[in-house]
C-alpha cells in the first residue's frame, strides 16, 4: 500500500480533478497537518481510489497476445491436419500397391510396370558406381566385376520383363547383396585417406581411462590430455574452466602416466593472474603441444600460446573467426565458448572454427606452432553448430554429434588432402555424461581424449 505525502498546493488540484471524475463513486475527506509553518501535509491512501491503468494495459496486451498465438496454433493445426490427410492417402496408395504385388506374387503373374521401381533402383546403383569409379581406386578390378555383375542384373531385369521367368524375390535378394558389396566400396572405402600410414578411423574402443578431474564434479567443463608432440616428455595435463564454465587461468600437469593416475604429485602453471585478464583462457578447446598451451584468448578471436617453461604468451588474430559464443559446438545443447578449438595430428597443430563468410560452416586452418601464423585454410560444408565436437587425425577432420546421454557418434569426415567429405561414418563413442566439452586426438599415443561432464576419458582408436 502506497502512502504518499503531498504538498498542499499540488494536492488541491489533484483532489479536485480526481473527485470530479469520480463523483458518483465516493468522496473522501483527508485531514491535513500543518508543518514547517506554511505547509499543510495530508496522508492519502492512493490505492483506494486508483484505477490500475498499467495493469489493465498489461492484461489487454496479454489477452491480445493470447488470441494471436491461439490463431497461430489454430492455423498450425489446420496445416497439420492437411498433412495428415496427405500422409494417409500416400499410405493407402502404398498399401494398395503392396497388395497388388502380393497378389501377383502368389499367382506368379508379373506385369512389366512392376519392374519399373527395380529398374530405377538399378539406375541409381549404376550412378553410385560411376561416382565410386571416379575416385582412383587401388582396387578397380573388383569394382569392375561388380559393375559387370550389375550390368548383367540390369539385362536380366530387361529379360524378366519379356519372359516373366524368374522369381522377383530372388532378383531382389541378388540386388541387395550387390548393394551391400558396393557400400563396402563406397567413396571412403578403400581409398587412401589423409596422408599418414594409419588410414581411416574405423572404430573406437571402450574408455581406457575414466577418472573424475582433480578439481571435482563441480567443474564440468574443461579439457585434458597428454603433450601431443612426438618426442616431448610425457606430460599429462588438466584444465578446468571457472567463472560459469567460460574462462580459466591455470593448468595442472603430471610428469608421468603413473603420477597422473595416482594424482599425488602435480605442478600447477598459472597462465594469467586471473581469469578476467587479457590472454586468460576462453573455452575448453585447448591443447598442450611441445610444452606450450594453445588456446583461445580471453574475450577475443585471438589464438594464444603460453610456454610452460618461459611463461611467455604470444597472441595472434585468427582472421574472420566467429568467437565468444558466435559459432560454438551445439547439436542439442550448446557447449558454451567452444568457438575456437585446437587439435594436433601427425602433421602438427590445427585450429577448428567457423566464419560468417563460410555461413557458419566449419573452417579449418593449419598453423605454425612457433608463431601461430595461419599456413593454409580449408572450408567445409558442415554447419559447426550442428556438431558436438571435432578433431584432426592424419590430415582428416572428424566431427561428432550427440546420440544419447551415453553415446556420441563420429559421423563426419573431411579429408584435407582430397577435399572429400563423408557424412555417414557411424562410429560410436561411449560416454559418462551428456556434455562433451573437449575432444581431441593425440598422435603420440594415438588415443582420443574427452572431457565429459567433469570426467576425463580416453579411448583407443582402430584404423584400416
Ligand atoms: C505481447 O507480445 C509483444 C510482442 O511479441 C511483447 O513485446 C509483449 O511483451 C507481450 N505482452 C505480454 C503482456 O506478454
Ligand atoms: C494416390 O493415388 C491416387 C490415384 O492413383 C492419386 O491421384 C493420388 O495423387 C495419390 N496420392 C498420393 C499422396 O500419392
Ligand atoms: C567423374 O569425373 C568427371 C571428370 O573428372 C566428371 O565430368 C563427371 O561428372 C564425374 N562423374 C561423377 C558421377 O561424379
Ligand atoms: C552392359 O551390357 C550391355 C549389353 O550387354 C552393353 O552394351 C553395355 O556396354 C554394358 N555396359 C557396361 C557399363 O558394361
Ligand atoms: C567397435 O568397437 C566396439 C567396442 O569395442 C564393438 O562393440 C563394436 O562391435 C565395434 N564396431 C565395429 C563396426 O567394428
Ligand atoms: C618445440 O619447442 C622448441 C623450444 O621451445 C622449439 O625450438 C621448437 O621449434 C618447437 N617445435 C615445434 C614443432 O613447435
Ligand atoms: C599432410 O597434409 C597436410 C595438409 O594437407 C600438410 O600440412 C602436411 O605437410 C602433409 N604431410 C605429409 C607428410 O605429406
Amino acid at each position: 500500500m502506497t502512502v504518499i505525502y503531498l504538498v498542499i498546493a499540488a494536492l488541491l488540484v489533484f483532489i479536485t480533478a480526481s473527485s470530479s471524475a469520480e463523483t458518483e463513486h465516493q468522496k473522501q475527506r483527508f485531514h491535513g497537518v500543518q508543518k514547517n509553518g506554511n505547509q499543510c501535509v495530508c496522508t492519502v491512501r492512493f490505492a483506494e481510489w486508483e484505477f490500475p491503468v498499467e495493469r489493465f494495459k498489461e492484461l489487454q496486451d496479454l489477452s491480445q497476445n493470447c488470441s494471436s498465438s491461439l490463431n497461430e496454433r489454430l492455423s498450425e493445426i489446420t496445416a497439420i491436419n492437411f498433412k495428415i490427410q496427405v500422409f494417409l492417402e500416400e499410405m493407402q496408395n502404398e498399401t494398395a500397391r503392396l497388395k497388388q504385388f502380393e497378389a501377383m506374387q502368389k499367382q506368379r503373374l508379373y506385369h512389366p510396370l512392376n519392374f519399373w521401381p527395380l529398374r530405377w533402383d538399378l539406375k541409381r546403383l549404376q550412378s553410385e558406381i560411376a561416382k565410386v569409379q571416379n575416385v582412383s581406386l587401388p582396387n578397380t578390378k573388383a569394382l569392375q566385376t561388380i559393375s559387370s555383375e550389375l550390368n548383367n542384373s540390369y539385362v536380366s531385369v530387361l529379360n524378366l520383363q519379356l519372359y516373366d521367368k524368374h522369381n522377383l524375390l530372388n532378383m531382389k535378394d541378388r540386388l541387395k547383396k550387390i548393394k551391400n558389396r558396393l557400400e563396402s566400396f563406397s567413396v571412403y572405402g578403400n581409398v587412401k585417406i589423409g596422408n599418414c600410414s594409419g588410414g581411416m578411423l574405423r572404430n573406437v574402443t571402450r574408455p581406457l581411462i575414466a577418472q573424475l578431474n582433480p578439481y571435482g564434479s563441480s567443474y564440468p567443463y574443461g579439457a585434458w590430455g597428454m603433450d601431443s608432440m612426438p618426442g616431448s616428455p610425457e606430460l599429462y595435463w588438466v584444465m578446468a574452466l571457472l567463472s560459469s564454465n567460460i574462462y580459466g587461468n591455470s593448468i595442472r600437469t603430471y610428469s608421468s602416466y603413473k603420477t597422473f593416475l595416482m594424482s599425488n604429485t602435480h605442478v600447477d602453471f598459472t597462465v594469467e593472474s586471473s581469469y578476467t585478464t587479457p590472454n586468460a583462457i576462453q573455452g575448453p578447446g585447448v591443447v598442450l603441444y611441445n610444452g606450450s598451451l594453445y588456446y583461445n584468448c580471453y574475450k577475443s578471436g585471438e589464438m594464444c600460446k603460453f610456454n610452460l617453461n618461459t611463461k611467455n604468451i604470444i597472441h595472434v588474430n585468427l582472421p574472420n573467426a566467429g568467437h565468444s559464443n558466435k559459432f560454438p559446438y551445439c547439436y542439442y545443447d550448446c557447449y558454451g565458448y567452444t568457438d575456437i578449438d585446437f587439435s594436433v595430428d601427425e602433421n602438427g597443430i590445427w585450429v577448428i572454427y567457423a566464419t560468417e563468410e563460410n555461413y557458419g560452416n566449419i573452417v579449418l586452418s593449419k598453423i605454425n606452432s612457433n608463431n601461430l601464423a595461419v599456413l593454409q585454410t580449408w572450408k567445409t560444408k558442415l554447419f559447426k553448430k550442428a556438431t558436438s565436437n571435432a578433431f584432426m587425425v592424419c590430415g582428416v577432420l572428424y566431427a561428432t554429434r550427440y546420440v544419447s546421454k551415453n553415446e556420441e557418434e563420429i559421423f563426419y569426415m573431411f579429408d584435407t588432402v582430397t577435399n572429400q567429405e563423408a557424412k555417414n561414418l557411424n562410429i560410436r563413442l561411449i560416454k559418462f555424461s551428456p556434455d562433451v566439452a573437449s575432444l581431441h586426438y593425440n598422435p603420440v599415443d594415438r588415443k582420443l581424449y574427452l572431457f565429459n561432464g567433469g570426467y576425463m576419458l580416453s579411448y583407443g582408436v582402430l584404423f584400416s
Side-chain angles (χ1 to χ4, degrees), residues 152-179:
N152 292 344
S153 305
Y154 189 61
V155 173
S156 309
V157 170
L158 290 178
N159 290 341
L160 263 176
Q161 282 181 230
L162 299 176
Y163 305 111
D164 284 359
K165 268 182 193 157
H166 292 73
N167 187 308
L168 188 63
L169 276 184
N170 225 344
M171 185 63 215
K172 277 196 161 168
D173 206 40
R174 236 171 98 192
L175 265 180
K176 203 167 159 191
K177 280 186 187 141
I178 295 177
K179 192 163 179 242

PDB file of all heavy atoms in Angstrom, residues 152-179:
ATOM      1  N   ASN A 152      24.784 -57.135 -65.731  1.00  0.00           N
ATOM      2  CA  ASN A 152      24.082 -58.388 -66.004  1.00  0.00           C
ATOM      3  C   ASN A 152      22.698 -58.369 -65.373  1.00  0.00           C
ATOM      4  O   ASN A 152      21.729 -58.813 -65.990  1.00  0.00           O
ATOM      5  CB  ASN A 152      24.860 -59.578 -65.432  1.00  0.00           C
ATOM      6  CG  ASN A 152      26.160 -59.791 -66.185  1.00  0.00           C
ATOM      7  OD1 ASN A 152      26.323 -59.257 -67.293  1.00  0.00           O
ATOM      8  ND2 ASN A 152      27.075 -60.550 -65.613  1.00  0.00           N
ATOM      9  N   SER A 153      22.634 -57.868 -64.131  1.00  0.00           N
ATOM     10  CA  SER A 153      21.341 -57.806 -63.457  1.00  0.00           C
ATOM     11  C   SER A 153      20.391 -56.936 -64.237  1.00  0.00           C
ATOM     12  O   SER A 153      19.206 -57.248 -64.375  1.00  0.00           O
ATOM     13  CB  SER A 153      21.490 -57.236 -62.053  1.00  0.00           C
ATOM     14  OG  SER A 153      22.424 -57.978 -61.355  1.00  0.00           O
ATOM     15  N   TYR A 154      20.933 -55.836 -64.721  1.00  0.00           N
ATOM     16  CA  TYR A 154      20.105 -54.898 -65.469  1.00  0.00           C
ATOM     17  C   TYR A 154      19.529 -55.584 -66.711  1.00  0.00           C
ATOM     18  O   TYR A 154      18.355 -55.516 -67.009  1.00  0.00           O
ATOM     19  CB  TYR A 154      20.972 -53.694 -65.858  1.00  0.00           C
ATOM     20  CG  TYR A 154      20.186 -52.553 -66.444  1.00  0.00           C
ATOM     21  CD1 TYR A 154      19.200 -51.925 -65.704  1.00  0.00           C
ATOM     22  CD2 TYR A 154      20.429 -52.117 -67.741  1.00  0.00           C
ATOM     23  CE1 TYR A 154      18.468 -50.883 -66.238  1.00  0.00           C
ATOM     24  CE2 TYR A 154      19.707 -51.071 -68.277  1.00  0.00           C
ATOM     25  CZ  TYR A 154      18.725 -50.458 -67.523  1.00  0.00           C
ATOM     26  OH  TYR A 154      18.009 -49.432 -68.052  1.00  0.00           O
ATOM     27  N   VAL A 155      20.424 -56.318 -67.395  1.00  0.00           N
ATOM     28  CA  VAL A 155      19.989 -57.069 -68.578  1.00  0.00           C
ATOM     29  C   VAL A 155      18.960 -58.117 -68.172  1.00  0.00           C
ATOM     30  O   VAL A 155      17.947 -58.298 -68.852  1.00  0.00           O
ATOM     31  CB  VAL A 155      21.208 -57.715 -69.273  1.00  0.00           C
ATOM     32  CG1 VAL A 155      20.769 -58.631 -70.399  1.00  0.00           C
ATOM     33  CG2 VAL A 155      22.137 -56.626 -69.789  1.00  0.00           C
ATOM     34  N   SER A 156      19.184 -58.773 -67.009  1.00  0.00           N
ATOM     35  CA  SER A 156      18.220 -59.791 -66.562  1.00  0.00           C
ATOM     36  C   SER A 156      16.855 -59.186 -66.333  1.00  0.00           C
ATOM     37  O   SER A 156      15.839 -59.795 -66.650  1.00  0.00           O
ATOM     38  CB  SER A 156      18.664 -60.430 -65.244  1.00  0.00           C
ATOM     39  OG  SER A 156      19.966 -60.847 -65.338  1.00  0.00           O
ATOM     40  N   VAL A 157      16.853 -57.991 -65.738  1.00  0.00           N
ATOM     41  CA  VAL A 157      15.564 -57.358 -65.483  1.00  0.00           C
ATOM     42  C   VAL A 157      14.841 -57.095 -66.799  1.00  0.00           C
ATOM     43  O   VAL A 157      13.642 -57.353 -66.927  1.00  0.00           O
ATOM     44  CB  VAL A 157      15.734 -56.051 -64.685  1.00  0.00           C
ATOM     45  CG1 VAL A 157      14.422 -55.288 -64.648  1.00  0.00           C
ATOM     46  CG2 VAL A 157      16.176 -56.366 -63.277  1.00  0.00           C
ATOM     47  N   LEU A 158      15.617 -56.642 -67.775  1.00  0.00           N
ATOM     48  CA  LEU A 158      15.007 -56.407 -69.082  1.00  0.00           C
ATOM     49  C   LEU A 158      14.412 -57.699 -69.622  1.00  0.00           C
ATOM     50  O   LEU A 158      13.298 -57.738 -70.130  1.00  0.00           O
ATOM     51  CB  LEU A 158      16.049 -55.855 -70.059  1.00  0.00           C
ATOM     52  CG  LEU A 158      16.502 -54.424 -69.761  1.00  0.00           C
ATOM     53  CD1 LEU A 158      17.585 -53.993 -70.760  1.00  0.00           C
ATOM     54  CD2 LEU A 158      15.336 -53.458 -69.823  1.00  0.00           C
ATOM     55  N   ASN A 159      15.201 -58.787 -69.455  1.00  0.00           N
ATOM     56  CA  ASN A 159      14.720 -60.089 -69.928  1.00  0.00           C
ATOM     57  C   ASN A 159      13.487 -60.540 -69.160  1.00  0.00           C
ATOM     58  O   ASN A 159      12.554 -61.090 -69.738  1.00  0.00           O
ATOM     59  CB  ASN A 159      15.812 -61.145 -69.760  1.00  0.00           C
ATOM     60  CG  ASN A 159      16.946 -60.895 -70.733  1.00  0.00           C
ATOM     61  OD1 ASN A 159      16.750 -60.181 -71.740  1.00  0.00           O
ATOM     62  ND2 ASN A 159      18.108 -61.440 -70.455  1.00  0.00           N
ATOM     63  N   LEU A 160      13.533 -60.293 -67.835  1.00  0.00           N
ATOM     64  CA  LEU A 160      12.409 -60.689 -66.992  1.00  0.00           C
ATOM     65  C   LEU A 160      11.119 -60.108 -67.520  1.00  0.00           C
ATOM     66  O   LEU A 160      10.083 -60.773 -67.556  1.00  0.00           O
ATOM     67  CB  LEU A 160      12.627 -60.147 -65.582  1.00  0.00           C
ATOM     68  CG  LEU A 160      13.235 -61.081 -64.562  1.00  0.00           C
ATOM     69  CD1 LEU A 160      13.454 -60.323 -63.274  1.00  0.00           C
ATOM     70  CD2 LEU A 160      12.339 -62.266 -64.336  1.00  0.00           C
ATOM     71  N   GLN A 161      11.226 -58.850 -67.909  1.00  0.00           N
ATOM     72  CA  GLN A 161      10.035 -58.187 -68.408  1.00  0.00           C
ATOM     73  C   GLN A 161       9.472 -58.918 -69.620  1.00  0.00           C
ATOM     74  O   GLN A 161       8.280 -58.977 -69.818  1.00  0.00           O
ATOM     75  CB  GLN A 161      10.377 -56.760 -68.800  1.00  0.00           C
ATOM     76  CG  GLN A 161      10.490 -55.857 -67.607  1.00  0.00           C
ATOM     77  CD  GLN A 161      10.809 -54.447 -68.030  1.00  0.00           C
ATOM     78  OE1 GLN A 161      11.719 -53.867 -67.505  1.00  0.00           O
ATOM     79  NE2 GLN A 161      10.060 -53.918 -68.979  1.00  0.00           N
ATOM     80  N   LEU A 162      10.410 -59.481 -70.380  1.00  0.00           N
ATOM     81  CA  LEU A 162       9.967 -60.174 -71.591  1.00  0.00           C
ATOM     82  C   LEU A 162       9.465 -61.574 -71.286  1.00  0.00           C
ATOM     83  O   LEU A 162       8.479 -62.026 -71.851  1.00  0.00           O
ATOM     84  CB  LEU A 162      11.116 -60.235 -72.598  1.00  0.00           C
ATOM     85  CG  LEU A 162      11.626 -58.869 -73.053  1.00  0.00           C
ATOM     86  CD1 LEU A 162      12.824 -59.029 -73.984  1.00  0.00           C
ATOM     87  CD2 LEU A 162      10.520 -58.104 -73.758  1.00  0.00           C
ATOM     88  N   TYR A 163      10.132 -62.264 -70.378  1.00  0.00           N
ATOM     89  CA  TYR A 163       9.803 -63.690 -70.221  1.00  0.00           C
ATOM     90  C   TYR A 163       9.117 -64.066 -68.916  1.00  0.00           C
ATOM     91  O   TYR A 163       8.614 -65.167 -68.783  1.00  0.00           O
ATOM     92  CB  TYR A 163      11.075 -64.536 -70.387  1.00  0.00           C
ATOM     93  CG  TYR A 163      11.769 -64.265 -71.680  1.00  0.00           C
ATOM     94  CD1 TYR A 163      12.998 -63.632 -71.728  1.00  0.00           C
ATOM     95  CD2 TYR A 163      11.164 -64.643 -72.879  1.00  0.00           C
ATOM     96  CE1 TYR A 163      13.630 -63.390 -72.925  1.00  0.00           C
ATOM     97  CE2 TYR A 163      11.780 -64.391 -74.096  1.00  0.00           C
ATOM     98  CZ  TYR A 163      13.015 -63.773 -74.117  1.00  0.00           C
ATOM     99  OH  TYR A 163      13.624 -63.523 -75.289  1.00  0.00           O
ATOM    100  N   ASP A 164       9.117 -63.142 -67.924  1.00  0.00           N
ATOM    101  CA  ASP A 164       8.463 -63.457 -66.642  1.00  0.00           C
ATOM    102  C   ASP A 164       8.937 -64.776 -66.050  1.00  0.00           C
ATOM    103  O   ASP A 164       8.148 -65.515 -65.480  1.00  0.00           O
ATOM    104  CB  ASP A 164       6.951 -63.542 -66.821  1.00  0.00           C
ATOM    105  CG  ASP A 164       6.339 -62.173 -66.942  1.00  0.00           C
ATOM    106  OD1 ASP A 164       7.090 -61.178 -66.873  1.00  0.00           O
ATOM    107  OD2 ASP A 164       5.140 -62.090 -67.092  1.00  0.00           O
ATOM    108  N   LYS A 165      10.193 -65.079 -66.222  1.00  0.00           N
ATOM    109  CA  LYS A 165      10.627 -66.426 -65.831  1.00  0.00           C
ATOM    110  C   LYS A 165      11.137 -66.504 -64.384  1.00  0.00           C
ATOM    111  O   LYS A 165      10.934 -67.497 -63.714  1.00  0.00           O
ATOM    112  CB  LYS A 165      11.739 -66.898 -66.765  1.00  0.00           C
ATOM    113  CG  LYS A 165      11.164 -67.667 -67.942  1.00  0.00           C
ATOM    114  CD  LYS A 165      12.272 -68.159 -68.806  1.00  0.00           C
ATOM    115  CE  LYS A 165      11.706 -68.634 -70.144  1.00  0.00           C
ATOM    116  NZ  LYS A 165      12.749 -68.598 -71.183  1.00  0.00           N
ATOM    117  N   HIS A 166      11.798 -65.446 -63.993  1.00  0.00           N
ATOM    118  CA  HIS A 166      12.464 -65.546 -62.697  1.00  0.00           C
ATOM    119  C   HIS A 166      11.604 -65.066 -61.547  1.00  0.00           C
ATOM    120  O   HIS A 166      10.643 -64.332 -61.733  1.00  0.00           O
ATOM    121  CB  HIS A 166      13.758 -64.739 -62.711  1.00  0.00           C
ATOM    122  CG  HIS A 166      14.783 -65.328 -63.613  1.00  0.00           C
ATOM    123  ND1 HIS A 166      14.668 -65.238 -64.977  1.00  0.00           N
ATOM    124  CD2 HIS A 166      15.920 -66.016 -63.362  1.00  0.00           C
ATOM    125  CE1 HIS A 166      15.696 -65.842 -65.536  1.00  0.00           C
ATOM    126  NE2 HIS A 166      16.471 -66.330 -64.576  1.00  0.00           N
ATOM    127  N   ASN A 167      12.020 -65.489 -60.417  1.00  0.00           N
ATOM    128  CA  ASN A 167      11.307 -65.073 -59.213  1.00  0.00           C
ATOM    129  C   ASN A 167      11.764 -63.679 -58.799  1.00  0.00           C
ATOM    130  O   ASN A 167      12.954 -63.404 -58.695  1.00  0.00           O
ATOM    131  CB  ASN A 167      11.620 -66.088 -58.110  1.00  0.00           C
ATOM    132  CG  ASN A 167      10.803 -65.824 -56.892  1.00  0.00           C
ATOM    133  OD1 ASN A 167      10.776 -64.697 -56.395  1.00  0.00           O
ATOM    134  ND2 ASN A 167      10.151 -66.849 -56.403  1.00  0.00           N
ATOM    135  N   LEU A 168      10.799 -62.820 -58.551  1.00  0.00           N
ATOM    136  CA  LEU A 168      11.112 -61.435 -58.234  1.00  0.00           C
ATOM    137  C   LEU A 168      11.924 -61.319 -56.946  1.00  0.00           C
ATOM    138  O   LEU A 168      12.898 -60.562 -56.853  1.00  0.00           O
ATOM    139  CB  LEU A 168       9.814 -60.655 -58.088  1.00  0.00           C
ATOM    140  CG  LEU A 168       9.955 -59.159 -57.946  1.00  0.00           C
ATOM    141  CD1 LEU A 168      10.565 -58.547 -59.180  1.00  0.00           C
ATOM    142  CD2 LEU A 168       8.611 -58.532 -57.661  1.00  0.00           C
ATOM    143  N   LEU A 169      11.539 -62.130 -55.964  1.00  0.00           N
ATOM    144  CA  LEU A 169      12.248 -62.081 -54.681  1.00  0.00           C
ATOM    145  C   LEU A 169      13.714 -62.437 -54.848  1.00  0.00           C
ATOM    146  O   LEU A 169      14.603 -61.804 -54.262  1.00  0.00           O
ATOM    147  CB  LEU A 169      11.612 -63.050 -53.693  1.00  0.00           C
ATOM    148  CG  LEU A 169      10.402 -62.510 -52.950  1.00  0.00           C
ATOM    149  CD1 LEU A 169       9.935 -63.543 -51.949  1.00  0.00           C
ATOM    150  CD2 LEU A 169      10.749 -61.206 -52.260  1.00  0.00           C
ATOM    151  N   ASN A 170      13.929 -63.449 -55.629  1.00  0.00           N
ATOM    152  CA  ASN A 170      15.275 -63.895 -55.914  1.00  0.00           C
ATOM    153  C   ASN A 170      16.117 -62.749 -56.458  1.00  0.00           C
ATOM    154  O   ASN A 170      17.240 -62.499 -56.025  1.00  0.00           O
ATOM    155  CB  ASN A 170      15.178 -64.971 -56.995  1.00  0.00           C
ATOM    156  CG  ASN A 170      16.038 -66.139 -56.649  1.00  0.00           C
ATOM    157  OD1 ASN A 170      16.910 -66.005 -55.783  1.00  0.00           O
ATOM    158  ND2 ASN A 170      15.823 -67.261 -57.294  1.00  0.00           N
ATOM    159  N   MET A 171      15.506 -62.065 -57.385  1.00  0.00           N
ATOM    160  CA  MET A 171      16.147 -60.941 -58.032  1.00  0.00           C
ATOM    161  C   MET A 171      16.499 -59.854 -57.020  1.00  0.00           C
ATOM    162  O   MET A 171      17.618 -59.322 -56.986  1.00  0.00           O
ATOM    163  CB  MET A 171      15.152 -60.389 -59.061  1.00  0.00           C
ATOM    164  CG  MET A 171      15.708 -59.303 -59.909  1.00  0.00           C
ATOM    165  SD  MET A 171      17.049 -59.942 -60.874  1.00  0.00           S
ATOM    166  CE  MET A 171      18.071 -58.498 -60.874  1.00  0.00           C
ATOM    167  N   LYS A 172      15.511 -59.551 -56.174  1.00  0.00           N
ATOM    168  CA  LYS A 172      15.712 -58.507 -55.177  1.00  0.00           C
ATOM    169  C   LYS A 172      16.861 -58.885 -54.249  1.00  0.00           C
ATOM    170  O   LYS A 172      17.672 -58.051 -53.849  1.00  0.00           O
ATOM    171  CB  LYS A 172      14.437 -58.317 -54.344  1.00  0.00           C
ATOM    172  CG  LYS A 172      13.434 -57.424 -55.015  1.00  0.00           C
ATOM    173  CD  LYS A 172      12.410 -56.960 -54.014  1.00  0.00           C
ATOM    174  CE  LYS A 172      11.690 -55.730 -54.520  1.00  0.00           C
ATOM    175  NZ  LYS A 172      10.503 -55.428 -53.714  1.00  0.00           N
ATOM    176  N   ASP A 173      16.909 -60.135 -53.871  1.00  0.00           N
ATOM    177  CA  ASP A 173      17.943 -60.642 -52.992  1.00  0.00           C
ATOM    178  C   ASP A 173      19.324 -60.415 -53.613  1.00  0.00           C
ATOM    179  O   ASP A 173      20.244 -59.943 -52.962  1.00  0.00           O
ATOM    180  CB  ASP A 173      17.694 -62.139 -52.784  1.00  0.00           C
ATOM    181  CG  ASP A 173      18.272 -62.597 -51.475  1.00  0.00           C
ATOM    182  OD1 ASP A 173      18.136 -61.834 -50.500  1.00  0.00           O
ATOM    183  OD2 ASP A 173      18.856 -63.694 -51.449  1.00  0.00           O
ATOM    184  N   ARG A 174      19.398 -60.748 -54.898  1.00  0.00           N
ATOM    185  CA  ARG A 174      20.668 -60.571 -55.601  1.00  0.00           C
ATOM    186  C   ARG A 174      21.105 -59.108 -55.589  1.00  0.00           C
ATOM    187  O   ARG A 174      22.261 -58.788 -55.344  1.00  0.00           O
ATOM    188  CB  ARG A 174      20.488 -61.036 -57.049  1.00  0.00           C
ATOM    189  CG  ARG A 174      21.467 -62.107 -57.448  1.00  0.00           C
ATOM    190  CD  ARG A 174      21.084 -62.659 -58.770  1.00  0.00           C
ATOM    191  NE  ARG A 174      21.850 -62.046 -59.850  1.00  0.00           N
ATOM    192  CZ  ARG A 174      21.519 -62.197 -61.149  1.00  0.00           C
ATOM    193  NH1 ARG A 174      20.454 -62.881 -61.483  1.00  0.00           N
ATOM    194  NH2 ARG A 174      22.268 -61.636 -62.067  1.00  0.00           N
ATOM    195  N   LEU A 175      20.116 -58.258 -55.837  1.00  0.00           N
ATOM    196  CA  LEU A 175      20.395 -56.825 -55.849  1.00  0.00           C
ATOM    197  C   LEU A 175      20.910 -56.342 -54.504  1.00  0.00           C
ATOM    198  O   LEU A 175      21.842 -55.551 -54.411  1.00  0.00           O
ATOM    199  CB  LEU A 175      19.109 -56.065 -56.145  1.00  0.00           C
ATOM    200  CG  LEU A 175      18.882 -55.713 -57.583  1.00  0.00           C
ATOM    201  CD1 LEU A 175      17.568 -54.968 -57.713  1.00  0.00           C
ATOM    202  CD2 LEU A 175      20.024 -54.810 -58.062  1.00  0.00           C
ATOM    203  N   LYS A 176      20.264 -56.826 -53.454  1.00  0.00           N
ATOM    204  CA  LYS A 176      20.631 -56.400 -52.107  1.00  0.00           C
ATOM    205  C   LYS A 176      22.077 -56.767 -51.823  1.00  0.00           C
ATOM    206  O   LYS A 176      22.837 -55.966 -51.279  1.00  0.00           O
ATOM    207  CB  LYS A 176      19.700 -57.079 -51.114  1.00  0.00           C
ATOM    208  CG  LYS A 176      19.598 -56.334 -49.804  1.00  0.00           C
ATOM    209  CD  LYS A 176      18.443 -56.888 -49.021  1.00  0.00           C
ATOM    210  CE  LYS A 176      18.602 -56.577 -47.551  1.00  0.00           C
ATOM    211  NZ  LYS A 176      17.630 -57.319 -46.743  1.00  0.00           N
ATOM    212  N   LYS A 177      22.454 -57.992 -52.224  1.00  0.00           N
ATOM    213  CA  LYS A 177      23.833 -58.436 -51.983  1.00  0.00           C
ATOM    214  C   LYS A 177      24.818 -57.548 -52.732  1.00  0.00           C
ATOM    215  O   LYS A 177      25.844 -57.145 -52.188  1.00  0.00           O
ATOM    216  CB  LYS A 177      23.990 -59.897 -52.406  1.00  0.00           C
ATOM    217  CG  LYS A 177      23.451 -60.834 -51.361  1.00  0.00           C
ATOM    218  CD  LYS A 177      23.727 -62.272 -51.714  1.00  0.00           C
ATOM    219  CE  LYS A 177      23.015 -63.193 -50.728  1.00  0.00           C
ATOM    220  NZ  LYS A 177      22.464 -64.376 -51.382  1.00  0.00           N
ATOM    221  N   ILE A 178      24.466 -57.237 -53.972  1.00  0.00           N
ATOM    222  CA  ILE A 178      25.361 -56.372 -54.754  1.00  0.00           C
ATOM    223  C   ILE A 178      25.481 -55.004 -54.086  1.00  0.00           C
ATOM    224  O   ILE A 178      26.552 -54.440 -53.957  1.00  0.00           O
ATOM    225  CB  ILE A 178      24.837 -56.200 -56.196  1.00  0.00           C
ATOM    226  CG1 ILE A 178      24.883 -57.549 -56.916  1.00  0.00           C
ATOM    227  CG2 ILE A 178      25.668 -55.179 -56.946  1.00  0.00           C
ATOM    228  CD1 ILE A 178      24.329 -57.497 -58.319  1.00  0.00           C
ATOM    229  N   LYS A 179      24.324 -54.525 -53.593  1.00  0.00           N
ATOM    230  CA  LYS A 179      24.309 -53.211 -52.973  1.00  0.00           C
ATOM    231  C   LYS A 179      25.205 -53.182 -51.735  1.00  0.00           C
ATOM    232  O   LYS A 179      25.994 -52.254 -51.529  1.00  0.00           O
ATOM    233  CB  LYS A 179      22.873 -52.845 -52.600  1.00  0.00           C
ATOM    234  CG  LYS A 179      22.728 -51.410 -52.215  1.00  0.00           C
ATOM    235  CD  LYS A 179      21.276 -50.966 -52.244  1.00  0.00           C
ATOM    236  CE  LYS A 179      21.209 -49.518 -51.822  1.00  0.00           C
ATOM    237  NZ  LYS A 179      20.443 -49.289 -50.634  1.00  0.00           N
TER     238      LYS A 179
END
